[in-house]
Amino acid sequence: MSKPVVFISEPINPLGLEILAPYCHCIAPWLDGGIAGEIPEEATAIMVRTYPVTADRMDAVANLQVVAKHGVGIDNIDVEAATARAIPVLWTPEANADAVAQHALALTLGLANQLLRAEKALRAGQFLDRLEFASTELTGRVLGIIGLGRIGKRVARRATVGLGMEVIAYDPYVDESDLAAHVDSLGELMSRADVVSLHVPLTEETRRFINASTLAQMKPGAFLINTSRGGVIDEPALALALDQGALAGAGLDVYADEPPTPDHPFLSAPRVLLTPHVAGLSDQALVRVATEAAEGILDVLNGHRPASPVNPQVLENAG
Ligand code: NAD
């Protein structure tokens, strides 16, 4: 019997391929320097990073049995359509949470200590400009976390223990926790926080919920950090707020459209620290994400229950 075909749309750690290779035929266009086109018709499983998995794409594949997200942000997968077609969608919810939390704090520290400006000055021979690069001391300052889930909680713990920050959180869907003092409204969080860090999924409710009116509530000395999804921010409104000095700076890893175009307003905005969607890409996370996604695919193909289904009802219906 021929091996089941697994389509892997984007690069993954080789250990993920090693797990699949004995049992599956992997089609991975990036291994030969190519980019992913449509899902091959013969695929029974697909593993994706940001590759869009639409209803049409699923319908074009006769025997698709599982969609595995390499990561956690599933806004590129039409989960409702997969569920309607009884296709399990898997994800790796804990695998890169530590990495993203670390990156959110790296962006915070980079802004607070003006690392890029100071380094640039040094390299330009302007050592004596150092008095311009006084840092914003974070100890005792308020960190406002929006979305107190897996990543938000890790950020809260590290900021409290490691940096001595006071942590408040806005998340109407989680109960009180001892990691943060909960606030009842987004407005209260925006107006109290010295650092606002976003950790929500992109949904219809969160799309552009950081906009001109919520930005206007921020303290002029505050920083905004986004390692969640670009679509959560109204980007032109943030660029304008930065231009006008309505906040002290922004540390951003994600963009509404990726990659951002060369004329994207963030690229010329003042006081921004930008990274190219790398928050989840630590050495350890890349191994965990690839191996967990690969193991999940094998579980489904072998009729076993996978560890992390997004739509478990599909598996329950399958008995
Ligand atoms: P999670 O589901 O554990 O936590 C998200 C939290 O947001 C939940 O507690 C939820 O209740 C809360 N939430 C939902 N809607 C909200 C709203 N309207 N207002 C306030 N809170 C709301 O998810 P997670 O694992 O912590 O990941 C968060 C997001 O980070 C992911 O959805 C993903 O988009 C993003 N992410 C980015 C990277 C990266 O490389 N930059 C990597 C991993 C995850």
Side-chain angles (χ1 to χ4, degrees):
M1 213 171 75
S2 59
K3 289 177 174 178
V5 171
V6 180
F7 175 59
I8 305 172
S9 57
E10 293 132 302
I12 66 167
N13 184 278
L15 288 176
L17 285 172
E18 276 179 33
I19 287 172
L20 291 168
Y23 313 102
C24 308
H25 172 59
C26 295
I27 299 182
W30 44 273
L31 280 175
D32 304 317
I35 52 164
E38 293 306 316
I39 305 169
E41 277 173 36
E42 65 276 29
T44 48
I46 58 178
M47 190 194 299
V48 297
R49 294 179 75 143
T50 59
Y51 179 91
V53 183
T54 60
D56 285 348
R57 280 187 159 153
M58 287 185 263
D59 287 340
V61 182
N63 188 28
L64 187 59
Q65 291 175 31
V66 54
V67 175
K69 167 77 186 192
H70 176 285
V72 66
I74 47 169
D75 43 281
N76 59 315
I77 301 172
D78 189 336
V79 177
E80 207 178 300
T83 306
R85 289 156 181 74
I87 299 171
V89 177
L90 315 181
W91 62 348
T92 59
E94 301 282 341
N96 60 12
D98 285 325
V100 180
Q102 177 175 320
H103 197 78
L105 291 170
L107 290 173
T108 305
L109 291 166
L111 285 172
N113 285 56
Q114 304 205 59
L115 291 182
L116 286 191
R117 285 187 65 216
E119 204 238 19
K120 205 170 153 192
L122 175 85
R123 285 181 188 277
Q126 293 158 352
F127 190 97
L128 298 179
D129 286 353
R130 66 194 189 89
L131 294 182
E132 288 177 24
F133 306 124
S135 64
T136 301
E137 198 167 301
L138 294 171
T139 301
R141 291 256 168 59
V142 176
L143 168 66
I145 293 182
I146 304 178
L148 196 63
R150 286 172 290 261
I151 298 168
K153 283 185 177 135
R154 284 164 163 87
V155 174
R157 200 171 295 120
R158 286 159 172 74
T160 309
V161 177
L163 296 171
M165 296 186 79
E166 179 191 337
V167 182
I168 61 174
Y170 171 69
D171 188 331
Y173 304 106
V174 300
D175 295 333
E176 290 287 323
S177 83
D178 54 8
L179 289 168
H182 286 238
V183 298
D184 292 331
S185 71
L186 189 55
E188 185 184 348
L189 183 135
M190 299 301 277
S191 60
R192 281 182 55 193
D194 299 295
V195 178
V196 173
S197 196
L198 296 166
H199 301 290
V200 288
L202 179 62
T203 63
E204 282 321 302
E205 190 190 7
T206 62
R207 191 178 295 280
R208 285 190 287 279
F209 79 159
I210 302 300
N211 51 41
S213 64
T214 38
L215 288 165
Q217 294 168 312
M218 289 183 78
K219 294 180 182 178
F223 300 125
L224 177 68
I225 308 296
N226 189 16
T227 56
S228 63
R229 283 291 179 266
V232 165
I233 294 178
D234 179 337
E235 295 184 331
L238 175 57
L240 187 64
L242 286 161
D243 265 339
Q244 294 174 338
L247 66 162
L252 308 168
D253 183 53
V254 284
Y255 310 90
D257 290 311
E258 296 184 356
T261 53
D263 61 347
H264 193 289
F266 288 163
L267 299 175
S268 53
R271 298 178 304 279
V272 287
L273 181 48
L274 305 174
T275 53
H277 200 151
V278 295
L281 307 185
S282 77
D283 49 359
Q284 299 190 60
L286 283 170
V287 171
R288 280 195 295 265
V289 170
T291 55
E292 287 177 24
E295 281 159 4
I297 286 175
L298 289 185
D299 281 340
V300 173
L301 296 182
N302 290 324
H304 302 143
R305 193 182 170 80
S308 301
V310 176
N311 52 355
Q313 65 273 37
V314 167
L315 299 162
E316 275 140 32
N317 293 345

